[in-house]
Amino acid sequence: MLQLNPNLTDLVADAAAGLRQRLHATATVTAAAPGRVNLIGEHIDYCDGFVMPFAIDRYIVIAGCANGTAEARIATALDEELAVFKVTEPQQIGTPKWSNYLRGVIQGFQDRGHHLAGFDAFIVSSVPGGAGLSSSAALECATATFLEGLLDTVLDTREKALLCQKAEHEFAHVPCGIMDQFASAFGKPNRLILIDCQTGEPNLVPFDNLDLTVLISNTMVHHELSDGGYAARRKHTEDGLAILGKASWRDVTAADVSAAWTQLGDPINRRARHVVGEIARTVAAAAALERNDFEALGPLMAASHDSLRDDFEVSCAELDIMVEIARKIGRAGGVIGARMTGGGFGGSTVTLCDASKAADVAATLAAEYAKATGLTPQIFASRPSQGAHLVAQAK
Ligand code: GLA
């Protein structure tokens, strides 16, 4: 039931083999960047809130080399179609769709005055796509790291993450916050990344207790953040802040939201209640972690899920079912807490549980979820892992 995470070394070998077979080229640069899971702090990275993700040990790997032309020729294991486009001129949105993440990142390098030359590249991934685990941020960060390798340059990590976020905004039309790209870029083994999204400060918090396991359950309900639901939520929060007459959500209290409830109107009042509540829950979770009080995370995760379901309305039936099964297993069965993770509208849940019972918890989640929905979920454990990095660079 519990899937094993594909080994990064195997992925790197697959990328090199794909490059040889599809493009008849030999890798001189190989970059890897992970997806992420968020423990708590959802839909508040674009509200100056706090978020607490970590980089998972599932990666996108890009292997490639200069090809002596002005064009990028990029292939992937997931698509027959090759992406071919000029890298020596300003980038445009084009096809195949996945190539836009690369085009956006290339544009970011051009904006910083880098002169790119043509390259061949092959992409492989162990980050489930459309599962709320930031496969797009992983692709952006892997691309940026690959280009650093090709250009023999190193960007400041924060600048790299922001460049990738801009690519997502402008080439995928998702007005995302900074969480995903920060997690993929700054990830470290055994560390959560507590990001203060007001200051843009990522704090690495130890998370190395081997008695705990983080299970990720992909509901297999596809999520598409570019279809408008995400942007609509973000707009609600911006409108809410304007009505409240505040400069930042960090200056808004629960009492402010209650006092302005009618003026805010539905659904903005409920969106506002989520933002203020989720910021407080994430601050409380960070404090609990500092004193190694993992049990305190359970109720906070539960309240986070309920708020995302009822007030922010970004959950869906399948996410609720998965969380409900975890709640029924309960503390006696090894579950500390469970909630949806990521943008929502489908995707994955995160379940914090006792390591000794993780396999049983995963088996029950899989069986009960299949019974309730007819879908076979993908369930795996993940520990905080290394963020975007170059795997090999031949000169
Ligand atoms: C997506 C976005 C993030 C964040 C989450 C919700 O993953 O890319 O910036 O807003 O949704 O927490």
Side-chain angles (χ1 to χ4, degrees), residues 11-193:
L11 279 176
V12 169
D14 290 350
L19 184 70
R20 270 196 307 275
Q21 282 154 20
R22 289 276 296 274
L23 295 161
H24 312 291
T26 303
T28 57
V29 176
T30 304
R36 65 96 191 93
V37 66
N38 187 22
L39 276 193
I40 194 160
E42 214 67 82
H43 278 280
I44 52 171
D45 60 343
Y46 50 80
C47 298
D48 284 348
F50 291 94
V51 295
M52 209 191 279
F54 68 78
I56 57 177
D57 43 357
R58 294 227 166 198
Y59 287 90
I60 287 186
V61 172
I62 306 183
C65 58
N67 64 15
T69 75
E71 280 179 347
R73 293 192 296 239
I74 309 161
T76 132
L78 301 172
D79 189 358
E80 292 283 298
E81 199 180 336
L82 207 63
V84 182
F85 54 93
K86 274 218 163 101
V87 296
T88 49
E89 47 192 50
Q91 297 299 295
Q92 319 254 326
I93 290 176
T95 56
K97 209 173 162 197
W98 52 262
S99 71
N100 289 316
Y101 298 107
L102 294 113
R103 294 173 198 260
V105 172
I106 289 169
Q107 184 61 54
F109 274 73
Q110 289 181 354
D111 291 345
R112 282 163 181 76
H114 291 289
H115 296 289
L116 281 161
F119 61 86
D120 289 349
F122 192 83
I123 305 172
V124 296
S125 174
S126 63
V127 186
L133 300 173
S134 296
S135 57
S136 55
L139 180 52
E140 290 148 8
C141 290
T143 302
T145 308
F146 174 76
L147 296 180
E148 287 178 307
L150 268 186
L151 292 162
D152 205 6
T153 188
V154 178
L155 300 186
D156 168 71
T157 308
R158 175 194 311 276
E159 188 185 351
K160 179 157 95 173
L162 293 173
L163 181 161
C164 290
Q165 181 199 26
K166 192 166 182 226
E168 178 98 24
H169 286 184
E170 294 181 356
F171 283 73
H173 297 310
V174 177
C176 63
I178 59 172
M179 172 168 74
D180 304 349
Q181 291 79 9
F182 265 48
S184 186
F186 282 102
K188 283 278 173 291
N190 297 319
R191 295 288 183 273
L192 298 177
I193 308 158

Side-chain angles (χ1 to χ4, degrees), residues 259-328:
W261 194 256
T262 315
Q263 195 196 350
L264 286 164
D266 192 72
I268 294 178
N269 45 20
R270 287 181 294 122
R271 308 290 190 251
R273 183 164 60 188
H274 168 74
V275 172
V276 172
E278 189 76 354
I279 291 177
R281 283 185 287 274
T282 309
V283 170
L289 274 176
E290 207 159 292
R291 46 174 210 274
N292 277 321
D293 180 4
F294 300 105
E295 302 297 330
L297 291 181
L300 294 169
M301 290 172 83
S304 169
H305 184 81
D306 293 351
S307 175
L308 289 158
R309 181 192 60 208
D310 301 334
D311 279 351
F312 219 65
E313 295 179 289
V314 290
S315 187
C316 66
E318 292 83 358
L319 286 167
D320 295 343
I321 288 169
M322 192 71 87
V323 165
E324 203 46 50
I325 299 166
R327 284 181 185 175
K328 284 217 179 91

Side-chain angles (χ1 to χ4, degrees), residues 211 213 215 295 325-337 351-365:
D211 296 335
T213 291
L215 288 179
E295 302 297 330
I325 299 166
R327 284 181 185 175
K328 284 217 179 91
I329 296 170
R331 194 63 198 97
V335 170
I336 297 170
T351 305
L352 186 63
C353 60
D354 295 326
S356 59
K357 296 197 176 127
D360 291 344
V361 171
T364 306
L365 287 173

